[in-house]
Amino acid sequence: MTTEQTTHSQAQGAAPQHVAIIMDGNGRWARQRMQVRSEGHAEGVNSVHNITKVASDCGVKYLTLYAFSTENWNRPTEEVDTLMRLIGTAIRNETPELKANNVHINLIGDIARLPEDVQADLEAGRKATENCTGLNLNLCLSYSARWELIRAVKELARRAANGELDPAAIDEATIDSVLATAGMPDPDLLIRTGGEQRISNFLLWQIAYSELYFTPTLWPDFGKEEFLDILDNFRGRERRFGKTSDQVKSEQS
Ligand code: IPE
Ligand code: IPE
Ligand code: MG
């Protein structure tokens, strides 16, 4: 048994099927080094590469990465432009290896708001991996949960107005089916790097019962070891979903 297996073999519970990450702290990482913020974003791409690989290798089925929020459009134009360039370049560079690793790219968010050439790069990446059956990599770009919920409500209202949907029949499954994550399990685990303890408009519906993990590590410094430690921490938690601990234990045995 390798050291790594020893370190990460303590866990009792099930591994998370779906991990969502708020990748925060790139700007502070750069500032600590007297560099411009975009250097932090560029370094953050390496963390995306490494974490996608480890998630894929350890059997996570869905990895949902918050890369650019609706609110991030309000940043200085220069930073937004650099981020857009970086997203286009990263997807072009990463697609061959993602495909080789059987990773399926899915785009979540108001993608039409991105520059057209970046949209084309993203679409090429999505298309190249559409038959891949391994890790589902959800890239959230120009995404916010309230954007997604407004879109979902409009869609349900449209169906109700057309007589396709009985409003009285709306249930959780109906709402799930009109979200960008339709057909996917909810995140079991939500990680936020960078030390802030907030959700910043990410997956508000889907994280209703997710386990939360906040780490002070800045995203460019976030690596495989810490990710695996967090998965171990997750496995040690008891998810009760409103029931008592005794009920949960008797259901497991
Ligand atoms: C996260 O890092 C990346 C994006 C939000 C695009 P930040 O750029 O928010 O970094 P900090 O929070 O300023 O350190
Ligand atoms: C959240 O980070 C969005 C992404 C990681 C893409 P922010 O840095 O934008 O969050 P706030 O504004 O500090 O909450
Ligand atoms: Mg931030």
Side-chain angles (χ1 to χ4, degrees), residues 23-29 37 41 66-69 72 75 79 83 192 194 196 198 218-219:
M23 308 183 291
D24 196 23
N26 295 350
R28 279 163 285 166
W29 184 93
R37 294 176 56 84
H41 298 314
Y66 203 8
F68 191 86
S69 72
N72 289 149
R75 291 192 178 191
E79 179 169 345
L83 269 165
R192 181 173 186 141
E196 312 297 351
R198 56 180 173 247
L218 304 174
W219 178 249

Side-chain angles (χ1 to χ4, degrees), residues 78-215:
E78 198 186 304
E79 179 169 345
V80 171
D81 287 348
T82 311
L83 269 165
M84 291 300 140
R85 296 298 116 223
L86 210 53
I87 289 164
T89 311
I91 194 86
R92 282 200 306 277
N93 292 343
E94 297 291 329
T95 296
E97 189 177 327
L98 291 170
K99 189 175 177 187
N101 290 332
N102 202 22
V103 174
H104 180 276
I105 300 171
N106 186 35
L107 306 171
I108 289 186
D110 192 1
I111 305 298
R113 238 181 125 176
L114 272 59
E116 278 180 19
D117 56 334
V118 178
Q119 284 184 50
D121 290 334
L122 288 165
E123 176 53 23
R126 191 201 62 75
K127 187 94 183 115
T129 62
E130 67 183 348
N131 295 321
C132 292
T133 55
L135 173 74
N136 289 287
L137 176 64
N138 292 327
L139 299 176
C140 301
L141 296 160
S142 190
Y143 171 86
S144 72
R146 288 187 174 184
W147 165 83
E148 179 184 39
L149 290 169
I150 290 166
R151 197 182 65 151
V153 170
K154 281 181 179 162
E155 173 59 19
L156 295 181
R158 189 192 62 75
R159 289 185 199 170
N162 285 348
E164 296 163 33
L165 174 71
D166 173 8
I170 294 174
D171 58 10
E172 286 195 13
T174 318
I175 294 173
D176 277 333
S177 74
V178 285
L179 297 178
T181 50
M184 303 179 194
D186 286 340
D188 302 294
L189 172 64
L190 170 65
I191 301 169
R192 181 173 186 141
T193 64
E196 312 297 351
Q197 301 198 12
R198 56 180 173 247
I199 301 299
S200 302
N201 213 351
F202 192 41
L203 302 174
L204 294 178
W205 170 270
Q206 297 91 333
I207 61 168
Y209 252 112
S210 304
E211 295 296 324
L212 308 181
Y213 193 103
F214 297 98
T215 168

Side-chain angles (χ1 to χ4, degrees), residues 16-33:
Q17 230 196 323
H18 186 168
V19 179
I21 308 183
I22 302 173
M23 308 183 291
D24 196 23
N26 295 350
R28 279 163 285 166
W29 184 93
R31 200 176 55 200
Q32 283 176 359
R33 288 163 179 74

Side-chain angles (χ1 to χ4, degrees), residues 42-90:
E43 196 62 30
V45 173
N46 296 330
S47 298
V48 173
H49 176 98
N50 296 338
I51 297 306
T52 303
K53 182 73 171 66
V54 61
S56 169
D57 289 348
C58 71
V60 169
K61 205 56 200 142
Y62 296 87
L63 179 67
T64 301
L65 300 179
Y66 203 8
F68 191 86
S69 72
T70 304
E71 289 75 19
N72 289 149
W73 287 115
N74 298 321
R75 291 192 178 191
T77 316
E78 198 186 304
E79 179 169 345
V80 171
D81 287 348
T82 311
L83 269 165
M84 291 300 140
R85 296 298 116 223
L86 210 53
I87 289 164
T89 311

